[in-house]
Amino acid sequence: MLCFVLDAIAEEVRACRLCPLWRGRRNAVPGEGSPRAELMFIGEGPGEEEDLQGRPFVGRSGRLLTEALEKAGIRREDVFITNVVKCRPPENREPTPEEREICTNKYLFRQIEAVNPRLIVLLGSVAVQTLLGVSSVTAVRGKAFEKMGRRFFCTYHPAAALYNPGNRETFFNDIKKARELLENLRTFDKQKTLFEV
Ligand code: URA
Ligand code: SF4
């Protein structure tokens, strides 16, 4: 059932022409992962490799993300990974506010509802701007927030961690922290249900 909803959204994404980004794409990148994921990761938008393969986070940034997940004891196939916009912006520029609004209203928010993750990890400034209305990731990295009945944890975009060893260590530690937070939330949610009659 859930799979069906996500597959239907993915099909819509592949045919979408709602914003100008469709013109530059080779493949749209709806996102992938477990339809019952407790953790959801949201990046910015597809890069060159993602556009070629139609899959999220499969280039250099993606390999770093996958490594960080492994180091934190998280299996990539157990989480759901997607982006704010589903088509690659020309020359990897940031998606405009209009592009973000159109694409998230039409797809990302429905994906969040369908997966219903316990925790959403926002990767980098475009994701924190779009989902939390915060201007930059630096002020919120390593922190958790609750908004619209959803829980968010913020960290760097893996691209920011690629060439900076300091950022890299921070990023790896943040992903571990997200996993710990998820475990605490699981316990918290279970206890909460004990009080519900
Ligand atoms: N950068 C992103 O923001 N998303 C991807 O899927 C790949 C690189
Ligand atoms: Fe449609 Fe999103 Fe692609 Fe724009 S970026 S064309 S809204 S799928």
Side-chain angles (χ1 to χ4, degrees), residues 11 16 31 42 47 50 63 76 82 97 110 123 178 189 196:
E11 278 311 302
C16 180
I42 302 177
E50 290 76 22
R63 281 194 289 278
R76 187 174 155 128
T82 189
R110 285 161 65 211
L123 302 167
D189 288 342
E196 284 165 10

Side-chain angles (χ1 to χ4, degrees), residues 76-112:
R76 187 174 155 128
E77 59 266 39
D78 288 342
V79 304
F80 194 88
I81 303 175
T82 189
N83 287 296
V84 168
V85 295
K86 315 303 194 197
C87 302
R88 183 194 183 195
E91 278 115 48
N92 295 337
R93 66 157 169 79
E94 284 191 355
T96 65
E98 292 77 15
E99 290 159 356
R100 297 180 202 188
E101 194 184 337
I102 294 169
C103 202
T104 53
N105 283 331
K106 183 77 181 171
Y107 305 114
L108 181 64
F109 295 136
R110 285 161 65 211
Q111 289 175 314
I112 294 173

Side-chain angles (χ1 to χ4, degrees), residues 29 43-47 50 55-59 61-62 81-83 123 157-159:
V29 183
E44 175 175 334
E50 290 76 22
R55 295 181 54 210
F57 283 102
V58 289
S61 295
I81 303 175
T82 189
N83 287 296
L123 302 167
H157 190 285

Side-chain angles (χ1 to χ4, degrees), residues 26-41:
R26 279 169 292 196
N27 292 290
V29 183
E32 68 183 22
S34 166
R36 288 168 305 277
E38 288 187 286
L39 268 183
M40 184 160 176
F41 289 81

Side-chain angles (χ1 to χ4, degrees), residues 39 41 60-74 121 123 141-142 153-180:
L39 268 183
F41 289 81
R60 275 181 302 183
S61 295
R63 281 194 289 278
L64 196 73
L65 175 63
T66 306
E67 188 185 336
L69 293 177
E70 279 169 10
K71 286 213 159 92
I74 302 165
V121 180
L123 302 167
R141 99 87 308 277
F153 179 82
C154 309
T155 187
Y156 291 136
H157 190 285
L162 263 181
Y163 303 110
N164 181 322
N167 286 358
R168 194 182 160 100
E169 193 171 337
T170 306
F171 177 68
F172 279 34
N173 284 333
D174 278 352
I175 300 299
K176 287 198 182 110
K177 214 166 142 183
R179 193 214 152 132
E180 286 160 15

